[in-house]
Amino acid sequence: MKNDNAEQFLRDVSSLGIVLNDLQLDQFAKYYELLIQWNEKVNLTAITEYNDVMKKHFVDSLSLVKVCNLKEDLSLLDVGTGAGFPGLVLKIAFPDLQVVLMDALNKRVHFLREVIGKLDLRGVEAVHGRAEDFARQEGFREKFDICVSRAVANLSTLSEYCIPFVKLGGCFVSYKSEKTLEEMEEGEYAISLLGGVVEHQTEFYLPDSDIYRNLVTIRKQKNTPEKYPRKAGLPLKKPLSK
Ligand code: SAM
């Protein structure tokens, strides 16, 4: 991956305070190749140009370091991970994380398992199913230090998907790419019903770009009441609102 383009990627990650070794750079290069190959037959991403994937998928995913210290042995769940953004990217850069990648589309889960195998990653698994169903399982409910999600749903729906998975004291971070004023109002109501509180919003531009991002950090303060999440489909169809 040591070519001119990779130089920009290296600059971007180092401006986030991340140092990658040769193995990790090689893993990112293989991940990119597999993404492009599989994208021919499975719909994984509309973004395929090398520099765009590096910036808009990889660097964007890694921007979580702005709000979380990932250098510890933490458990992290990515809900609606798609082609592995942000969860698989975070696993490559922070190998000590214990990561679960969750998606409702089985073809994408197959892709993720292939990448995990080819990159020889340990301490990461891809699971197929809906968040609303997994959240009722004992091995998943309130078991994660961090839950993340990018480009899956509005904040209210997403909170019902994600907050049930978070341990008391842990956090849910929602990756947003636009200002979220209206979404926040409705979202805050749902968040408090689910046992969380909005800790902060971190607004920034991706390194060397005008690409706006907003990470909304929600801290879990109370256990999520048993009745949440509601049955599969309802959080999207009827988001919790006053
Ligand atoms: N997070 C990735 C990204 O940023 O590129 C994928 C985003 S894609 C637009 C949304 C993904 O969420 C899809 O792969 C979809 O299958 C998954 N998804 C939507 N609702 C879900 C649910 N209730 N449980 C699990 N996955 C879900």
Side-chain angles (χ1 to χ4, degrees), residues 91-104:
K91 175 65 189 176
I92 295 172
F94 299 96
D96 291 340
L97 291 176
Q98 296 299 309
V99 173
V100 177
L101 307 166
M102 181 179 290
D103 204 279

Side-chain angles (χ1 to χ4, degrees), residues 57 79-82 85 102-105 108 129-132 150-152 161:
H57 284 326
V79 170
T81 186
F85 311 129
M102 181 179 290
D103 204 279
L105 265 186
R108 293 183 176 155
R130 297 187 67 113
E132 302 95 305
R150 189 187 84 154
V152 173
Y161 291 165

Side-chain angles (χ1 to χ4, degrees), residues 141-174:
R141 193 175 180 89
E142 305 200 319
K143 288 289 183 295
F144 293 86
D145 296 302
I146 304 173
C147 180
V148 289
S149 192
R150 189 187 84 154
V152 173
N154 69 48
L155 194 59
S156 178
T157 301
L158 207 52
S159 295
E160 194 168 352
Y161 291 165
C162 294
I163 294 176
F165 291 110
V166 181
K167 287 179 187 170
L168 280 185
C171 68
F172 158 46
V173 181
S174 170

